[in-house]
Amino acid sequence: MFVQASILALLTGSACAGTTIWSGSFNPFPNVSVFDEWSWADEVGTYQWYIHGTQPTSHYLALSPKYKNPADTAETNGLMVTIDSTATWNSNMERTELIPQTTQNLGTGNLFYHFSLSTDPTGLNAPDSTLEHQILFFESHFTEIKYGVAPNPTNLQWMVTSQFQWGTPLVPGTWYNFAYDIDFSGQTVGLWFSTGGSPLTKVANNVAASTSTNSEDFHVGVLRIVNTPAPENWYISGVYIENGPITTAIGNGNSTGSGTTTIPTTTPTTTPTTTPTTTSPSSTPTGPTVPEYGQCGGTGYTGPTTCASPYTCKAISPPYYYQCL
């Protein structure tokens, strides 16, 4: 079964803009009991499964089409990851995480680590914004998504070595698509992002980081710092790693971008608000203007809203993100 899945992953990768060097697709897993086939004595499959609590696997993992981004047509199921007071492993922190099982070198050259995140659209078992969460991270935490931390606890925030770089509000039921743009040779990392089925765009330029991995320390899951009884459910789909140029389309393997796109070095910021801010370009700028690829509007955005000529402010992932193009 896993051999067939590996062949399928390679064939799928050949149709993408880049080359998929490791597929974290959940298609090879008809049910969550298959994750239990992996052990240190028998390292089968595409994921290591050992960072979790004492309950059965079905307590922490679930597979269903409703847990995947509907735009990802390559996936049959998405994964629901659950953490609660039983989900402790080697600490008092709650964590449920999968890790790549592979002989492929996942830490060389310029690679793109893709994944999509969401939560239950009804708000059931919603994440607690008063507690720190570390999501889809490396062991050294040189890049990760965090939730429940400053400067905006209700935002999903991209951190590099625990330093805030970019964020967006977490809205139940919205799918957030990410790709870590990691240059292992140049020791830098950037971020690509979109929502729903929109193509990825580069929202944060590469910054210096101590990029490193042993190819088996990318944590596909969630760590909650404080132990508390309240259960939380996170949805994950579209996990794969590719060489550039990046595949920007969600789910269908067609690329509309390249791995060499650059954006301004100004840091996008967000502040939670209930009213999205949209903008339209002005023909007579009276204040600061936003350069090409800069953020010019979106939920909580408080910066300049007029694009430098000849660019216009366009909806990339409305209502959350607008960009000068």
Side-chain angles (χ1 to χ4, degrees), residues 90-240:
N90 203 29
S91 70
N92 195 42
M93 297 179 289
E94 301 166 355
R95 52 197 307 178
T96 299
E97 300 152 24
L98 296 164
I99 291 177
Q101 174 63 56
T102 181
T103 58
Q104 181 70 45
N105 188 340
L106 304 182
T108 184
N110 191 183
L111 302 183
F112 299 89
Y113 279 64
H114 291 258
F115 58 92
S116 297
L117 285 175
S118 190
T119 56
D120 193 294
T122 68
L124 179 67
N125 292 341
D128 186 344
S129 63
T130 68
L131 303 176
E132 178 178 339
H133 300 70
Q134 300 169 358
I135 310 165
L136 278 289
F137 59 92
F138 289 83
E139 190 69 25
S140 67
H141 295 273
F142 74 84
T143 184
E144 62 193 328
I145 301 298
K146 283 191 175 184
Y147 181 73
V149 299
N152 297 304
T154 58
N155 283 7
L156 290 173
Q157 301 182 73
W158 178 54
M159 301 283 189
V160 176
T161 319
S162 297
Q163 298 299 308
F164 170 79
Q165 303 293 328
W166 179 91
T168 190
L170 175 61
V171 178
T174 297
W175 275 99
Y176 301 90
N177 312 303
F178 297 94
Y180 295 146
D181 182 342
I182 308 175
D183 185 344
F184 287 98
S185 301
Q187 295 282 285
T188 66
V189 58
L191 186 70
W192 295 69
F193 170 79
S194 73
T195 57
S198 299
L200 294 170
T201 62
K202 196 164 187 181
V203 295
N205 224 353
N206 283 52
V207 296
S210 297
T211 57
S212 65
T213 178
N214 66 359
S215 301
E216 295 183 340
D217 70 342
F218 179 52
H219 297 252
V220 180
V222 180
L223 184 157
R224 187 165 66 182
I225 295 296
V226 178
N227 193 303
T228 182
E232 292 182 6
N233 297 335
W234 293 82
Y235 300 170
I236 301 174
S237 73
V239 183
Y240 69 99

